[in-house]
Amino acid sequence: MTSPILRTRPTVPGLRGFALALLIAALALLAGCETPREALGPAEPAGNLEKAEKLAREGEFVLAAREFDRLAIPTRGAMRAQWQLRAVEMLLKANETREAGYRLEHIHVREHGATLIARKQILQSRLLLLQGAHERAIRQLNDAIALSPLPPTVTADILVARAEAEQALNNPFGAIRNLIQREQYLAGKDDVRDNQNRLWKILEDQKRNVLSAQLDITRDRTLAGWVELAMLAQEHLNRPDALRSALERWRQTYPKHPALDGVIDTLLSRAPRLPTRFMRIALLLPLTSDVGSAAQAVRDGFLAAHNNSTDPDKPKIQIYDLGADPAKTPDIYQQAVKDGAQIVVGPLGRQSTDELVRKGNFPVPTVLLSHIDNTESPGSFVFQFGLPPEQEARQAAERAYLDGHRQAAVLYPKSPWGERMRLAFVEHWQKLGGTIRLAQTYDPADTDFSEPVKQLLNIVQGEERLELIKQAVGQRVHFEPRPRQDIDAVFLATDAARGRLIKPQLSFFRARRIPVYATSHIFSGRENALHDIDLDGVLFVDMPWMLIGEGNLKTLRASLQSNWPHAQTDLDRLFALGVDSYAILPHLARLSSDPSARFLGVTSGLSLDPQGRLKRQMLWAQFKRGVPTLIDSGAATRPVLRLEGSAEQR
């Protein structure tokens, strides 16, 4: 509740003492309504390892980090450092590099032996990978593997991290060699099988001429066996009898090869698998509809990525206009399949997507450019990729929580979009363990937002009490508004135009020091320091495409958008969606088979959850002097996707 600062000017001398007594009583009453900052929130409950591991498997990495933090609280020494390192591991998977880096600096492991020192160095290398420092990451891992003694599990973790670094450096066979070496440190059959699957996915992505060249130069018989096996699989694709005969000859050549126990059985089982290369792509968009401009932006990004690719075997693309009637979507989809599409991208739009999902017939892999409400995937090879604002609201909750805040207020528009944002933020905030003090609406049609801001900060209640005090004491009272003291963060759901009016109101009512978190909607897409100076201090999440103006991404934008008229507008984000919708297609198989895999595109770091939804982990920026400034300095140097058929990946 509000505790205004009051100063009195006595008008009736005989009432001075009585008035002061009343004022003291009123102030005491107001002070009693405040929640001291040091007493905010309940004590953290004990951590639960089983819950932490389950959250990690489900891709809820920040929630998993919270559980590992809780496990660390009652412990000391090596055990405490172990849980803290697991929490950092989760933060890195959530792409929270700033928080992860800060924590790593403050975890002391030198006195706890080689194992924990190596585990910290593995995490430091993963942080360097996310920041684009691949060579430094490998040097860090080389230092780690030289430590002694190390248990086999730690050596195996070092080798898989080194494989990831080699892949990031576009050295697939360096990655494969590390995975071959890793297998000798794995004891469980499931771990060996997972390692071989990881290795096999890299081989499947290689063209035949690359495999043939590697087979000619390798002196490693195990690697030669893997390469020859990949060549056979490509040569006899969809010819099971010929493949069976070729595999028998391969067995005779490599009688003790590690692939005998797992990969060959998988090849012979002819189980459906997602291809890594598609030669015919159908793109379904409502180009002639009320959302035609959005659909055209996605189309332009998709085609720009395709045209920029130097792959001589790049696929053919056929575009289908869905028109203005969503009910026609299933028929157009089936027509695309009849026309020979090996994968369908689209439709764009919630209604069209719902119509298609309702039919439930997906004969080819499909990337829906929208998210559905169902908790289960409509098919094993059906993926959901879009820009749902709820993902950004949940990421805002995670950032505020990781920044140490626990008591939040929400200011959101009185609209269906605003309600979705409020619900997404509140539900995730409460899952994290935070408390919502107030959720206040505002009318998006207004131009003066002082009243909802005053309601949010309890200024209105302070003014009402002021009137009661003035009536009681019969004196003129000077009032300085003071915001409530029981919130330490505000989630603001708004666009740029309204944000420029709301943020100054928060500052005017002395809430300048309360951090404000927002989504990408608060940034128009074009830097405008003169207008956005009123947004100073606001922290918001957005895609690399909108925030990074230097390095590889600047070069890529220049090549993709040389003549595109809508650069640095709201449509720019949809253009980026089109770019990633094309570039991610060869990586869907890897994302499907490896829950920890990530595709670093222009929209965000993308990972796949168990329901087939591509989850975005975006970047954080803050308005400073009216200009969005990246919070994570390493993000500015992070490499972006390459469009020659591969991408930076983790």
Side-chain angles (χ1 to χ4, degrees):
M1 298 177 65
T2 304
S3 177
I5 300 173
L6 302 172
R7 299 188 181 92
T8 64
R9 295 189 181 95
T11 56
V12 183
L15 293 179
R16 181 189 297 268
F18 179 64
L20 288 175
L22 280 175
L23 283 171
I24 292 170
L27 288 171
L29 176 63
L30 291 172
C33 295
E34 293 184 7
T35 304
R37 284 187 180 273
E38 61 271 16
L40 291 177
E44 290 286 324
N48 184 304
L49 179 57
E50 183 178 345
K51 182 178 180 182
E53 300 290 5
K54 180 174 182 292
L55 288 166
R57 289 192 299 272
E58 294 172 349
E60 296 286 358
F61 298 122
V62 174
L63 289 169
R66 180 199 61 183
E67 289 301 313
F68 285 118
D69 281 338
R70 290 174 174 176
L71 285 164
I73 289 172
T75 62
R76 292 291 181 269
M79 183 60 70
R80 183 181 183 88
Q82 175 183 315
W83 295 133
Q84 289 174 330
L85 290 173
R86 288 300 307 277
V88 169
E89 179 188 350
M90 295 299 106
L91 292 174
L92 287 173
K93 288 184 177 181
N95 207 35
E96 292 287 353
T97 54
R98 186 181 69 152
E99 179 72 13
Y102 174 81
R103 292 194 184 195
L104 272 176
E105 289 180 5
H106 294 84
I107 299 176
H108 303 291
V109 295
R110 285 292 169 193
E111 64 274 22
H112 300 313
T115 296
L116 285 182
I117 294 173
R119 288 203 178 280
K120 180 176 178 179
Q121 289 179 325
I122 292 170
L123 295 176
Q124 288 171 326
S125 73
R126 292 189 185 280
L127 178 61
L128 290 168
L129 277 179
L130 288 173
Q131 295 173 338
H134 303 140
E135 292 86 354
R136 287 176 58 197
I138 290 178
R139 288 197 297 270
Q140 185 81 256
L141 292 166
N142 290 341
D143 291 342
I145 207 165
L147 295 169
S148 181
L150 290 178
T153 54
V154 176
T155 303
D157 289 344
I158 294 171
L159 290 169
V160 75
R162 215 157 61 174
E164 292 169 358
E166 294 287 2
Q167 278 186 276
L169 285 168
N170 200 27
N171 182 14
F173 293 101
I176 289 170
R177 288 187 182 92
N178 277 281
L179 294 174
I180 289 173
Q181 184 182 353
R182 181 176 184 248
E183 187 165 324
Q184 64 183 296
Y185 296 98
L186 300 173
K189 288 184 178 180
D190 290 342
D191 292 334
V192 171
R193 186 179 301 110
D194 290 342
N195 188 68
Q196 291 186 352
N197 286 339
R198 185 188 293 263
L199 186 159
W200 186 249
K201 290 299 179 186
I202 300 173
L203 283 169
E204 282 185 314
D205 286 344
Q206 308 310 308
K207 296 179 182 178
R208 181 175 177 81
N209 63 326
V210 175
L211 292 170
S212 179
Q214 183 64 37
L215 186 61
D216 289 341
I217 64 174
T218 187
R219 297 294 178 265
D220 182 332
R221 188 162 177 78
T222 301
L223 175 58
W226 279 112
V227 172
E228 192 170 334
L229 188 61
M231 293 176 67
L232 291 176
Q234 287 187 12
E235 183 179 349
H236 301 293
L237 183 66
N238 299 323
R239 297 166 56 205
D241 292 337
L243 177 62
R244 192 178 300 274
S245 299
L247 288 176
E248 285 303 319
R249 294 192 296 273
W250 183 92
R251 286 177 191 269
Q252 295 172 11
T253 306
Y254 301 97
K256 296 183 179 180
H257 197 276
L260 288 168
D261 295 331
V263 174
I264 286 185
D265 291 339
T266 302
L267 288 173
L268 291 174
S269 69
R270 292 184 296 168
R273 65 178 179 85
L274 191 65
T276 57
R277 298 184 67 82
F278 301 96
M279 299 315 297
R280 295 186 66 86
I281 301 172
L283 180 62
L284 276 57
L285 298 170
L287 296 169
T288 54
S289 70
D290 292 341
V291 293
S293 58
Q296 291 161 23
V298 173
R299 176 202 61 192
D300 292 348
F302 196 90
L303 293 178
H306 175 74
N307 294 335
N308 195 69
S309 172
T310 58
D311 185 351
D313 298 324
K314 62 186 179 184
K316 290 182 171 56
I317 298 171
Q318 187 165 352
I319 300 174
Y320 296 80
D321 181 11
L322 298 176
D325 185 2
K328 295 181 179 178
T329 301
D331 292 337
I332 297 174
Y333 176 92
Q334 293 302 326
Q335 183 60 52
V337 174
K338 289 179 183 177
D339 292 343
Q342 295 173 316
I343 187 169
V344 174
V345 179
L348 176 72
R350 189 63 174 269
Q351 288 182 300
S352 293
T353 301
D354 288 344
E355 288 287 342
L356 188 58
V357 171
R358 194 175 296 117
K359 292 289 185 180
N361 183 15
F362 295 96
V364 298
T366 304
V367 180
L368 304 171
L369 295 179
S370 182
H371 282 210
I372 60 177
D373 290 332
N374 295 347
T375 57
E376 296 183 2
S377 171
S380 58
F381 291 155
V382 178
F383 307 92
Q384 303 169 49
F385 184 27
L387 307 177
E390 291 89 344
Q391 280 190 353
E392 298 184 21
R394 286 190 284 269
Q395 197 166 339
E398 292 178 352
R399 167 60 71 169
Y401 182 86
L402 291 172
D403 285 346
H405 308 302
R406 296 295 181 269
Q407 315 294 319
V410 181
L411 186 58
Y412 65 103
K414 194 182 300 181
S415 67
W417 178 84
E419 182 59 29
R420 287 166 56 195
M421 299 296 279
R422 180 200 68 81
L423 187 61
F425 180 87
V426 169
E427 284 186 348
H428 204 61
W429 181 254
Q430 291 174 338
K431 274 186 182 179
L432 288 163
T435 300
I436 298 293
R437 291 296 179 185
L438 182 69
Q440 174 64 45
T441 61
Y442 64 85
D443 187 343
D446 286 344
T447 56
D448 180 2
F449 299 99
S450 57
E451 287 305 314
V453 169
K454 286 160 67 175
Q455 292 282 357
L456 184 82
L457 300 174
N458 271 1
I459 301 297
V460 172
Q461 294 185 28
E463 291 175 338
E464 291 172 351
R465 292 191 189 89
L466 174 66
E467 289 302 318
L468 291 174
I469 292 171
K470 287 170 65 176
Q471 293 173 17
V473 302
Q475 295 177 324
R476 287 178 299 173
V477 179
H478 176 66
F479 172 70
E480 292 183 15
R482 182 180 174 190
R484 61 194 302 156
Q485 300 297 293
D486 61 345
I487 60 172
D488 54 10
V490 171
F491 173 61
L492 176 58
T494 190
D495 59 12
R498 293 167 184 83
R500 294 175 187 134
L501 299 174
I502 293 173
K503 180 58 170 67
Q505 291 286 345
L506 289 166
S507 299
F508 176 78
F509 289 111
R510 304 182 70 175
R512 187 183 301 275
R513 294 186 178 180
I514 300 177
V516 176
Y517 296 84
T519 62
S520 63
H521 305 83
I522 205 167
F523 178 40
S524 65
R526 182 184 298 273
E527 287 188 10
N528 190 331
L530 182 63
H531 286 85
D532 289 341
I533 191 73
D534 289 328
L535 293 172
D536 264 17
V538 174
L539 300 108
F540 69 99
V541 67
D542 209 336
M543 58 179 65
W545 186 256
M546 305 301 291
L547 294 177
I548 299 178
E550 300 298 331
N552 294 342
L553 194 48
K554 181 180 181 181
T555 304
L556 184 64
R557 286 192 71 142
S559 64
L560 295 183
Q561 288 189 323
S562 56
N563 297 312
W564 199 63
H566 307 295
Q568 296 183 322
T569 69
D570 287 340
L571 291 175
D572 215 355
R573 295 184 178 90
L574 291 164
F575 184 96
L577 175 65
V579 172
D580 273 359
S581 298
Y582 178 86
I584 201 171
L585 297 181
H587 301 275
L588 291 173
R590 176 175 60 87
L591 294 171
S592 300
S593 61
D594 182 2
S596 66
R598 180 176 293 142
F599 173 85
L600 296 183
V602 298
T603 58
S604 60
L606 294 166
S607 58
L608 197 66
D609 72 8
Q611 288 74 42
R613 290 186 290 257
L614 285 160
K615 296 176 64 175
R616 297 180 294 152
Q617 284 295 335
M618 295 175 290
L619 302 181
W620 277 94
Q622 186 175 30
F623 283 103
K624 295 182 179 180
R625 297 183 179 180
V627 177
T629 304
L630 281 171
I631 292 176
D632 178 10
S633 58
T637 60
R638 189 176 66 180
V640 295
L641 62 86
R642 297 186 297 271
L643 295 174
E644 293 79 15
S646 64
E648 295 295 342
Q649 58 194 40
R650 180 181 150 234

